[in-house]
Amino acid sequence: MYKALKARLFQGHRTGRFPAVAPTLPDHFQGRPQLLAGPCPKDCSACLDICPAKAVSVSANGPQIDTGRCLFCGKCAAICPRQAIAFGQEYRLAAFAREQLVAGASAAAWAPPTAGNAQCRDFCGQSLKIRQVSAGGCAACELDFNVLGTLAWDMGRFGIQVVASPRHADCILVTGPVTRNMLLALRKTHDAMPRPAWVIACGACAISGGVFADSPETHGGLEAIFKPDLYIPGCPPHPTTILEGLLRLMGRS
Amino acid sequence: MNMDTTFLALPNGAAAPIADLPVLPFDDFRAQLIQAVMQDGLRVSSFFATPADNQPGDFELIAVLADDRAHLLRLAASRVSKSYLALSADCPAFHWFEREIAEVTGLVCENHPWPKPIRFTRPPVGKGADVLPGVTDYLRIADEAAHEVAVGPVHAGVIEPGHFRFQCLGEEVIFLEISLGYQHRGIEKMLVGGPDVRSAQLIECAAGDTSIASAWCYARLLAALSPACQASPAAELWRGIALEFERSANHTGDLGALAGDVAFLPTQSFCGRIRGEYLNMTAALCGNRFGRGYVLPGGLRYLADNKKVADLQAWRKRVHADLTNALDLLFDTPSVLDRFENTGVLAPADAAAVGIVGVAGRASGLNNDIRLSHPYGPYTDRPLSLCAEGAGDVLARAMVRRRELDASNQWLNEALNAATELSADEQTSALSSQHSPARALAPSMIAVSLQEAWRGELCHVALTDSHGRFRHYKIVDPSFHNWYGLALTLRGEQISHFPICNKSFNLSYCGHDL
């Protein structure tokens, strides 16, 4: 008992101060892409050719990146001869509609979308119970969501809790590209939840299939199965990105 | 038997022309493999079937055995058609591999003691009806007193899916059967025809908590197949540093989770936070907490300047003090030790027979660590100490992790010091500009690469075609060897001990399912 107390004093108070204080992110952090307007050189397809997830497209106004597909590997930024692509420190990547995930060159400063599902905001503003289902996830999304339950993040402070039974869940947070072998279990879990059963797609795989989009063993993400109410891009998303997205879904930021 | 004439010998991370691979008559092949494993103490690192050239329906069986004493891998092949006499009945270490071969190719492994699917994937075209995941004939006890407990694929926590079937008499588990495959994404098939722009990402996602080991395994395999992908000693040193961060993060998380499973909340809480510190150290190297994109073919994505190295050194020291405090408390608590000790025993003889690797193997007295038996990169001239126990229980698996955390910490200290002494030229040599080697590799070769990932031995084998593209890519994750070991520990154990037994292995579902 005394030993445990002594260790507790030694370890100190370690819960992070997000969202009151902005997160400290690593200097090589790959956040929301920042794109330079203007036409690309004719015949240049360097960014398209190097993207592992077909996330880049080129418009008359320069490159666009679908952050729902993007693995945030930064290869396109490294190869672009125009240096038209950069990945900044913007970690607020979550969005409420698929089309909001496409980043393009824009003169206006970018702000994360605020108009999420109004009913979810009303019902779950103070308490959000989440049932997580991994449907082919590689464990990275799962681990960086799970970490929000540790004392470093303590998402319980905001009324967010992981529940074991789908019967107790307000929403389902899905990771992975939805493998053929998990489709039935995913559907059954969703069926067992009380309605309206909101859906969160966490990570590039769940949003679009990610690097597995073309595999015949997967369904290429959630889109074909349920319409997500929240999309959290990344491979995997940083824990701050996930938490910030959940808080925005609850109308708490 | 003269091993040098029967098998092709390769060091870790080397390649040879496929033409040099001895193709033995099947009976000879079978006898030699069984003798090598059962009598000479070699281990099965990989065993798979690849379609034979120009003979539709024929397959080449390829075996990669690890000879730990000689620090070599020994390879042999044999050609089969439709069916062959299974090795498993005489050598249990082939059991899971042969189930995989039958499932993937449709070959019949005659006399296999337990011919069942391991991933419930679609059968090869024209070979049987479609299968449903987890639907199979489970071993059952025909007794009214017995009952069956079915768990999963969706579990109670935030964890990957798998199905567990317990046959119980009261509280006692007589038999546990584990059905996997829910995470199957078809990675190996997607790698065929590569390397291409997505190959490295697919490999990093094979088991996402093992990204550094996987990327490094792949990078060393490519280096064996293409001079352009060779990495400098400085790059290899940094890859080692990243791998030990990965190991430290996961071992810390596992010990915290074990504490949580016996309701010892202080260490659970402390380790939950400390694990994140190691992930953040990895992120300091490359921006991503799992090290995605850090290890590239030919070198590294980013360099760390001396200020960053000094910061990491101080950070590591601080975190290790916190970790030591958290673990001293755990291992000094009688109620914890009481739950860990003699729980989930995997006897050394069983561990050796089924081919257990890594932490679980070392906990059952198997002195096997690829960093020592098949040393590579920075481990060649900077060896770590072997951390083995012998009791094979949950306590032994926890102790191996604890001792490995100390060994990694000491190694990191020396490696980070060595990193500050690198000259500017050596630093620059570590950088890779190859984001995706679209160029072809050496044609018609077979290459093998082993890593000691945090769970244990990770093995990649690649065969290239005549154009220098992957004809076959085989990944054997440590979990592939060890899931069956977990099932064995539950025999005769209380069902309420399943969580700590499971956590003491902490195996990967996706790494197994691929």
Side-chain angles (χ1 to χ4, degrees):
Chain A
M1 180 68 195
Y2 289 115
K3 280 177 191 160
L5 284 172
K6 211 171 139 197
R8 173 68 187 79
L9 281 173
F10 176 85
Q11 297 281 342
H13 178 266
R14 298 292 193 148
T15 304
R17 300 195 53 210
F18 180 81
V21 175
T24 315
L25 296 165
D27 48 4
H28 297 304
F29 182 75
Q30 309 275 312
R32 187 176 165 85
Q34 298 162 339
L35 302 151
L36 188 69
C40 293
K42 237 185 174 176
D43 305 329
C44 179
S45 61
C47 56
L48 304 180
D49 297 340
I50 205 161
C51 180
K54 298 184 189 152
V56 193
S57 57
V58 176
S59 71
N61 199 26
Q64 289 189 324
I65 295 181
D66 178 354
T67 60
R69 287 179 161 272
C70 183
L71 308 178
F72 296 82
C73 66
K75 287 178 181 174
C76 52
I79 207 165
C80 176
R82 255 182 80 215
Q83 296 183 314
I85 305 174
F87 288 82
Q89 290 271 314
E90 178 57 79
Y91 63 90
R92 296 172 299 171
L93 304 173
F96 300 113
R98 187 68 183 85
E99 58 276 11
Q100 291 169 347
L101 296 174
V102 179
S106 161
W110 184 81
T114 50
N117 186 310
Q119 195 186 25
C120 183
R121 243 180 7 242
D122 290 347
F123 282 20
C124 297
Q126 302 298 314
S127 163
L128 185 68
K129 307 290 180 198
I130 303 175
R131 171 65 249 198
Q132 203 273 323
V133 176
S134 171
C138 72
C141 283
E142 292 81 348
L143 287 166
D144 262 357
F145 169 62
N146 205 28
V147 87
L148 296 176
T150 66
L151 62 85
W153 302 86
D154 189 19
M155 65 179 170
R157 287 178 291 161
F158 311 105
I160 309 171
Q161 190 191 351
V162 174
V163 293
S165 169
R167 298 263 190 249
H168 303 155
D170 301 309
C171 67
I172 186 172
L173 184 146
V174 181
T175 52
V178 188
T179 52
R180 282 167 44 89
N181 278 354
M182 265 308 282
L183 180 65
L184 181 64
L186 176 64
R187 280 195 192 282
K188 282 186 173 178
T189 307
H190 187 261
D191 286 348
M193 290 166 62
R195 303 293 102 174
W198 294 292
V199 175
I200 301 170
C202 182
C205 286
I207 297 173
S208 66
V211 73
F212 302 107
D214 295 335
S215 170
E217 303 298 331
T218 81
H219 292 276
L222 264 184
E223 203 78 6
I225 301 149
F226 308 121
K227 180 92 191 113
D229 299 281
L230 181 70
Y231 300 81
I232 308 176
C235 184
H238 192 274
T240 322
T241 302
I242 303 176
L243 182 56
E244 191 277 329
L246 296 176
L247 292 176
R248 200 141 35 87
L249 178 72
M250 297 166 78
R252 293 183 64 126
S253 68
Chain B
M1 168 181 78
N2 187 343
M3 283 219 191
D4 294 325
T5 53
T6 311
F7 293 99
L8 166 69
L10 283 180
N12 181 8
I18 293 176
D20 290 356
L21 182 67
V23 181
L24 310 173
F26 179 76
D27 290 344
D28 193 20
F29 176 75
R30 186 176 186 281
Q32 299 285 6
L33 290 181
I34 291 171
Q35 189 191 328
V37 175
M38 300 299 281
Q39 261 128 61
D40 304 327
L42 273 66
R43 296 181 300 103
V44 188
S45 287
S46 196
F47 186 56
F48 58 96
T50 183
D53 286 341
N54 61 43
Q55 271 294 347
D58 281 13
F59 290 91
E60 209 150 69
L61 295 174
I62 297 178
V64 179
L65 304 183
D67 187 339
D68 297 332
R69 273 166 301 181
H71 314 298
L72 287 171
L73 295 152
R74 301 196 186 272
L75 287 77
S78 183
R79 189 168 278 218
V80 292
S81 179
K82 292 193 185 73
S83 70
Y84 73 90
L85 183 62
L87 285 79
S88 304
D90 296 308
C91 184
F94 287 97
H95 157 219
W96 214 255
F97 290 100
E98 291 196 313
R99 281 170 64 169
E100 181 189 40
I101 287 171
E103 183 169 28
V104 171
T105 63
L107 279 168
V108 176
C109 302
E110 290 163 30
N111 284 2
H112 191 288
W114 216 21
K116 300 180 73 167
I118 63 166
R119 298 195 184 97
F120 299 87
T121 51
R122 279 178 288 182
V125 178
K127 306 251 178 165
D130 211 356
V131 287
L132 286 170
V135 178
T136 180
D137 294 326
Y138 290 94
L139 185 84
R140 283 190 154 133
I141 303 170
D143 188 321
E144 280 185 3
H147 71 278
E148 183 178 59
V149 180
V151 182
V154 178
H155 300 281
V158 180
I159 186 170
E160 296 178 70
H163 183 73
F164 299 81
R165 225 26 115 85
F166 300 86
Q167 310 299 327
C168 305
L169 275 172
E171 287 296 298
E172 188 187 341
V173 179
I174 305 299
F175 193 83
L176 164 63
E177 195 170 340
I178 302 173
S179 279
L180 301 172
Y182 297 93
Q183 300 285 70
H184 180 63
R185 297 149 293 169
I187 289 180
E188 289 177 337
K189 267 189 204 151
M190 292 179 84
L191 288 167
V192 170
D196 57 36
V197 287
R198 67 184 183 187
S199 305
Q201 266 81 10
L202 286 169
I203 280 166
E204 285 181 332
C205 290
D209 52 19
T210 311
S211 294
I212 295 282
S214 300
W216 194 4
C217 204
Y218 173 66
R220 286 178 51 80
L221 194 99
L222 287 193
L225 292 166
S226 161
C229 295
Q230 308 253 337
S232 73
E236 291 279 88
L237 177 69
W238 275 107
R239 290 167 170 184
I241 291 169
L243 182 65
E244 297 311 317
F245 282 155
E246 182 170 272
R247 189 182 322 279
S248 302
N250 284 293
H251 281 5
T252 303
D254 284 352
L255 289 168
L258 275 169
D261 272 349
V262 297
F264 189 66
L265 302 187
T267 299
Q268 180 195 23
S269 303
F270 305 151
C271 285
R273 192 270 304 178
I274 296 165
R275 169 182 169 272
E277 301 278 358
Y278 288 114
L279 296 178
N280 289 339
M281 287 183 221
T282 308
L285 296 177
C286 65
N288 184 292
R289 283 157 54 90
F290 295 88
R292 297 282 163 84
Y294 180 59
V295 177
L296 295 176
L300 306 171
R301 174 70 189 279
Y302 297 106
L303 298 179
D305 58 23
N306 276 352
K307 169 161 187 323
K308 187 170 267 181
V309 181
D311 288 349
L312 281 170
Q313 188 64 292
W315 193 354
R316 172 201 60 78
K317 217 171 153 182
R318 224 168 36 237
V319 169
H320 190 255
D322 292 351
L323 180 64
T324 304
N325 174 270
L327 297 183
D328 281 350
L329 180 65
L330 180 76
F331 288 98
D332 199 24
T333 302
S335 60
V336 169
L337 299 180
D338 182 55
R339 289 291 309 276
F340 285 4
E341 207 171 359
N342 293 323
T343 302
V345 176
L346 180 61
D350 289 344
V354 299
I356 301 299
V357 299
V359 168
R362 290 190 283 280
S364 289
L366 304 182
N367 297 339
N368 148 35
D369 183 326
I370 301 303
R371 291 170 296 175
L372 293 159
S373 60
H374 301 265
Y376 51 98
Y379 304 114
T380 313
D381 46 5
R382 209 179 288 282
L384 285 107
S385 51
L386 182 81
C387 304
E389 298 273 326
D393 55 3
V394 171
L395 181 62
R397 288 186 283 277
M399 284 301 296
V400 168
R401 286 188 174 87
R402 182 191 195 175
R403 290 172 53 195
E404 286 189 11
L405 280 165
D406 286 338
S408 288
N409 179 62
Q410 201 184 342
W411 192 89
L412 280 167
N413 179 30
E414 290 165 22
L416 286 167
N417 281 340
T420 55
E421 284 156 21
L422 295 170
S423 69
D425 282 353
E426 284 173 318
Q427 280 274 11
T428 317
S429 73
L431 211 55
S432 165
S433 54
Q434 294 182 51
H435 292 308
S436 64
R439 75 194 68 192
L441 306 169
S444 306
M445 300 285 274
I446 180 165
V448 188
S449 173
L450 293 188
Q451 281 277 331
E452 186 67 22
W454 64 273
R455 285 191 186 89
E457 175 184 316
L458 173 67
C459 175
H460 286 197
V461 183
L463 276 74
T464 57
D465 64 15
S466 58
H467 305 289
R469 297 273 150 203
F470 291 137
R471 188 184 112 193
H472 198 107
Y473 201 100
K474 184 83 208 91
I475 299 172
V476 182
D477 187 90
S479 301
F480 188 90
H481 296 276
N482 284 9
W483 273 110
Y484 193 64
L486 171 63
L488 289 180
T489 62
L490 260 291
R491 293 189 188 173
E493 190 55 271
Q494 288 179 53
I495 193 166
S496 53
H497 279 159
F498 176 68
I500 49 170
C501 292
N502 187 28
K503 211 65 65 81
S504 72
F505 278 79
N506 191 15
L507 301 176
S508 173
Y509 299 76
C510 55
H512 172 276
D513 292 348
L514 297 173

